Amino acid sequence: MKTEIIRIDPENIDENAIEKAAEYIKSGTLVAFPTETVYGLGGDAMDKNASKSIYAAKGRPSDNPLIVHIADVSDLYKVGEDIPERAALLAEAFWPGPMTLIVKKSSDIPYETTGGLDTVAVRLPSHPIARELIRRSGKYIAAPSANKSGRPSPTKASHVIEDLDGDVECIIDGGDVEIGLESTIIDLTEDIPTILRPGRISLSDVIAVAGEARMDPGLSSDDESVRPKAPGMRYRHYAPKGELVIVEGDRDAVIRKISEQCGDHLAKGDKVAVIASSESAGDYEGVRVFDIGAKSREDEIASNLYDTLRKLDEEGIEYAYSEAFDTPHVGTAIMNRLLKAAGHRVLKV
Ligand code: TXA
Ligand code: MG
């Protein structure tokens, strides 16, 4: 199919342009659009055929549920049921914004949207284009990240075009996203709020508002029988085509180890690269270095991560070594994605 690409300035939304995009949603077809976290691939959440089209376009397994995007907090009580009081507190603190809440689903939401589950993931995004698209369509918009299944989530319109041009009716180019990592997912169907996917909103942020919270034990377990609760967190993800290894430890030892590994590969004629923070990018010699941003400005690292992973493939990198970026606030989320991308290959020095 021919994909219509509509350029919209988020600071000055053109009415006709957004109306045109909303028409695609209303007619049951798909629109990729920017949110503050990553680009999403949207369709009418109440239309099971739209949800089926989303799975088909992404090449996504149909047991991996979609997030339902809403325009107003009150919509949470329409797409969900038995909403606990904590939801209101969290919504008040973090919506609109990069937080997704898991609650019991209302019977109106088709199982095609929730991957067969009786619960539903709900998010009220803050990006002006996302909000205007939901409002104008008059629908709740089911949207996973707008990448092909297994690829890094898109943080630029060009990433979406790379993955989905020809597979969806419309792509809104609204520029680069701000955060660059997907929303924090909080499961409110357990006794204690449980983070199923870390994001910019951290465990301590959630505890400060909800009184208590924990990380899903499946996220950090080496035990195969303790699996992540979010279906999407079980799949291999974000992985570049080449081999990615994370090197962890004391700063100087890490630089020495990575330089040594790169030297060995270069001697064999392999295409090799380093992913480094701005603080140490200048310390590697004779090798391709991706400066991912400053540790002292950790949001920069978060927003560059997926673009850097995509660039490894674009440049045909066969072996890549990355420093660890366990920064104070978003470090948990950054390392969660980086470890997945590396297939959990870590060298400790
Ligand atoms: O920031 C985001 O959340 C972006 C933007 C577009 O909003 N969306 C996004 O969607 O990351 P997606 O589909 O790529 O990731 C959704 C994650 C998956 O891991 C999925 O398994 C999980 O949420 N999920 C959805 N519904 C769930 C449910 N009812 N129970 C447990 N996990 C659920
Ligand atoms: Mg995704």
Side-chain angles (χ1 to χ4, degrees), residues 105-270:
K105 89 172 186 68
S106 105
S107 56
D108 300 337
I109 301 280
Y111 281 109
E112 281 76 5
T113 299
T114 65
L117 298 177
D118 289 312
T119 54
V120 60
V122 188
R123 183 160 104 80
L124 173 53
S126 65
H127 195 290
I129 293 179
R131 301 197 69 184
E132 199 54 28
L133 182 68
I134 304 167
R135 244 189 258 121
R136 293 222 173 216
S137 67
K139 308 281 187 190
Y140 308 124
I141 298 187
S145 49
N147 50 284
K148 284 281 184 205
S149 194
R151 295 265 287 155
S153 297
T155 57
K156 299 168 180 289
S158 61
H159 296 161
V160 182
I161 294 168
E162 241 167 69
D163 280 15
L164 296 175
D165 192 20
D167 296 327
V168 299
E169 282 75 10
C170 175
I171 296 173
I172 299 179
D173 175 351
D176 295 357
V177 304
E178 182 213 333
I179 298 177
L181 295 176
E182 306 86 343
S183 60
T184 303
I185 301 179
I186 308 169
D187 185 357
L188 295 180
T189 67
E190 308 247 357
D191 298 340
I192 162 164
T194 302
I195 295 187
L196 305 188
R197 180 175 69 184
R200 153 104 49 101
I201 295 169
S202 69
L203 178 62
S204 51
D205 294 337
V206 177
I207 292 173
V209 173
E212 54 173 0
R214 60 166 192 165
M215 295 298 280
D216 175 6
L219 288 177
S220 54
S221 175
D222 293 330
D223 180 351
E224 281 289 306
S225 66
V226 187
R227 301 171 73 212
K229 187 171 177 190
M233 296 303 279
R234 297 174 195 150
Y235 300 113
R236 191 175 152 85
H237 234 148
Y238 319 123
K241 296 194 185 90
E243 185 177 295
L244 173 64
V245 177
I246 300 167
V247 183
E248 224 174 47
D250 176 66
R251 180 182 187 273
D252 293 340
V254 166
I255 294 170
R256 225 177 301 123
K257 184 72 186 174
I258 293 182
S259 301
E260 195 182 293
Q261 297 280 339
C262 290
D264 291 350
H265 282 297
L266 289 167
K268 286 189 253 171
D270 297 335

Side-chain angles (χ1 to χ4, degrees), residues 5-72:
I5 297 172
I6 304 179
R7 163 97 200 117
I8 299 179
D9 176 359
E11 318 259 293
N12 183 14
I13 297 180
D14 182 87
E15 282 213 18
N16 293 324
I18 195 80
E19 192 57 46
K20 209 166 171 196
E23 281 303 324
Y24 281 107
I25 300 283
K26 283 194 239 177
S27 68
T29 59
L30 307 187
V31 177
F33 61 97
T35 82
E36 69 279 19
T37 56
V38 299
Y39 271 78
L41 174 59
D44 179 355
M46 296 292 195
D47 177 352
K48 64 180 183 197
N49 290 317
S51 290
K52 283 183 184 166
S53 308
I54 292 175
Y55 288 105
K58 273 182 69 90
R60 176 176 181 139
S62 61
D63 63 349
N64 189 4
L66 309 175
I67 294 176
V68 176
H69 295 70
I70 57 176
D72 194 275

